[in-house]
Amino acid sequence: MRSTVCEQIGNTPQFPNVTPHPHTPPDPEGTWHDPGDVKPSRSLLGLPELGWPDIFQSCSEAMDAEDEPCLQKAAPHSLSPAEALGEVVHSSPSSSSPSLLDGQAEEGSLEQVQTMVVGEVLKDIATACKLLNIEADPLDWSCVHVQKWLLWTEHLYRLPQSCKMFQELTGKDLCSMSEEDFRQRSMQCGDMLYAHLDIWKSAAGMKEGGEGKSSGDNAWSEVVSHYPSQPIHLWQFLRELLLKPNNYSFCIRWINKEKGIFKIEDSAHVARLWGIRKNRPAMNYDKLSRSIRQYYKKGIIRKPEVSRRLVYQFVNPV
DNA sequence: TAACAGGATACTT
DNA sequence: AAGTATCCTGTTA
């Protein structure tokens, strides 16, 4: 039979602290149907170790570096973006302004900050949607989507693992749960998960209600424009990463953009991103590179004239 | 030792 | 059938 998911993930050389789990049952499909089975242990640092060693963390760090700082900065016990988003989405104009004494200028700049925050939150949601390949509206989530979202959120906020407590739940189920329901399923972080889900619900709500107004609408159109990418091709995915140098240049970057020559700086990381995108937990660079090589014959990607390790070239650069 | 090349086959859409 | 995903043997830097 085949090797287990954990063996394969454990084989990636980048995470010496992540020990493979010999007792993990084999996963013939290699699909991500039950993240809870994949890696139940926790590291010495107290960080949860799941099926995706530290992809989420390094991803969000990368996002944090440039244009998507909002979610990262919102530590579990500090001001959460839900509040800022909630302000804009739920409250009426008359009640949202705390001070009636500070003239228009104060109010104006406060609003500016709020819309900025909303924009950042929506961008983060869009990025997460793209990375996880899920809808932005929690109501549309299947059980698998719910698990993906949980994994993502737990890694983002360094929360202990509680996916198992939310198995068999669809997005609709999740949305209909109260904060108390969340706490019952997860004593430690149910409230955090509830609050975070509330952000997503609010963001989705902005689409229907006209509450989002100007900036919200712009941000939302950016969100929706991102996720109708169902069957994505590997070459498209690579190009997507290359077009977001702020986020991904540490793992893949152009050597010569005009000629379409690029270098994979962190093969294991790119492979894991691809695995997340395609819902293939056992993806690695060996298999990803095999798929790239299939492009040689098709004339989509090739090796540059002077062949170098981890350097490829799009045959038709944009 | 990791990257590379490509054949064979299974799987998903 | 197209596009991988997986597995494999052998080669190269």
Side-chain angles (χ1 to χ4, degrees):
Chain A
M1 251 324 194
R2 295 179 183 174
S3 53
T4 68
V5 170
C6 279
E7 278 167 3
Q8 305 217 19
I9 291 175
N11 282 343
T12 58
Q14 203 190 358
F15 308 101
N17 288 336
V18 179
T19 52
H21 290 249
H23 304 305
T24 303
D27 183 4
E29 275 96 345
T31 49
W32 191 358
H33 52 70
D34 187 3
D37 276 358
V38 177
K39 199 170 282 283
S41 75
R42 309 186 62 192
S43 73
L44 294 173
L45 298 171
L47 299 180
E49 288 179 0
L50 304 174
W52 305 100
D54 72 354
I55 183 82
F56 295 119
Q57 189 182 320
S58 36
C59 263
S60 26
E61 275 161 9
M63 285 179 216
D64 190 30
E66 296 291 339
D67 52 41
E68 331 217 24
C70 184
L71 283 182
Q72 265 300 306
K73 298 270 158 60
H77 301 298
S78 67
L79 173 75
S80 86
E83 295 164 70
L85 195 63
E87 278 291 302
V88 175
V89 174
H90 295 306
S91 62
S92 66
S94 56
S95 66
S96 63
S97 172
S99 165
L100 300 170
L101 302 172
D102 307 334
Q104 313 288 11
E106 276 290 322
E107 203 170 311
S109 65
L110 179 65
E111 230 161 78
Q112 272 189 331
V113 171
Q114 283 181 345
T115 54
M116 234 179 68
V117 169
V118 171
E120 291 301 318
V121 169
L122 291 179
K123 261 206 288 188
D124 287 334
I125 288 178
T127 304
C129 284
K130 217 161 134 190
L131 200 60
L132 304 174
N133 197 22
I134 63 175
E135 305 284 317
D137 189 346
L139 288 171
D140 295 333
W141 293 346
S142 69
C143 301
V144 175
H145 297 154
V146 168
Q147 292 296 314
K148 281 184 172 188
W149 178 83
L150 285 167
L151 262 175
W152 168 262
T153 306
E154 286 163 1
H155 274 268
L156 205 59
Y157 294 112
R158 324 280 215 270
L159 300 175
Q161 188 191 1
S162 57
C163 299
K164 274 191 173 160
M165 303 279 90
F166 295 87
Q167 268 172 0
E168 316 271 311
L169 290 175
T170 66
K172 276 194 183 116
D173 299 332
L174 215 59
C175 288
S176 66
M177 286 166 58
S178 68
E179 185 168 2
E180 202 40 51
D181 295 331
F182 270 80
R183 278 221 192 77
Q184 275 185 352
R185 293 190 184 250
S186 172
M187 272 276 281
Q188 299 148 295
C189 59
D191 52 342
M192 266 301 295
L193 291 172
Y194 177 82
H196 196 65
L197 181 67
D198 210 42
I199 298 172
W200 284 64
K201 287 202 287 193
S202 298
M206 290 173 69
K207 191 178 66 171
E208 334 254 278
E211 290 160 294
K213 297 240 180 72
S214 51
S215 72
D217 283 345
N218 293 337
W220 182 260
S221 63
E222 198 192 332
V223 172
V224 275
S225 72
H226 270 317
Y227 73 70
S229 47
Q230 284 295 322
I232 192 172
H233 289 182
L234 176 56
W235 64 267
Q236 291 176 312
F237 180 77
L238 294 174
R239 194 157 259 168
E240 267 183 26
L241 296 184
L242 286 161
L243 290 176
K244 280 210 144 196
N246 287 343
N247 293 343
Y248 301 111
S249 62
F250 71 97
C251 66
I252 182 171
R253 65 179 179 87
W254 294 113
I255 294 287
N256 183 331
K257 191 170 179 179
E258 289 67 43
K259 291 184 178 174
I261 300 173
F262 62 95
K263 176 169 187 188
I264 295 172
E265 299 283 358
D266 185 336
S267 59
H269 195 101
V270 172
R272 263 176 274 117
L273 286 173
W274 178 233
I276 290 176
R277 190 67 176 76
K278 290 294 292 291
N279 205 16
R280 287 276 169 261
M283 182 52 61
N284 56 30
Y285 181 69
D286 193 40
K287 289 183 275 197
L288 183 149
S289 64
R290 182 70 192 91
S291 291
I292 291 180
R293 269 174 255 129
Q294 300 280 44
Y295 289 144
Y296 294 172
K297 203 158 48 175
K298 297 183 177 181
I300 296 171
I301 289 176
R302 68 180 182 205
K303 273 292 194 184
E305 287 80 12
V306 277
S307 181
R308 275 178 294 164
R309 283 190 141 207
L310 296 168
V311 176
Y312 298 91
Q313 177 173 21
F314 285 104
V315 174
N316 298 311
V318 229

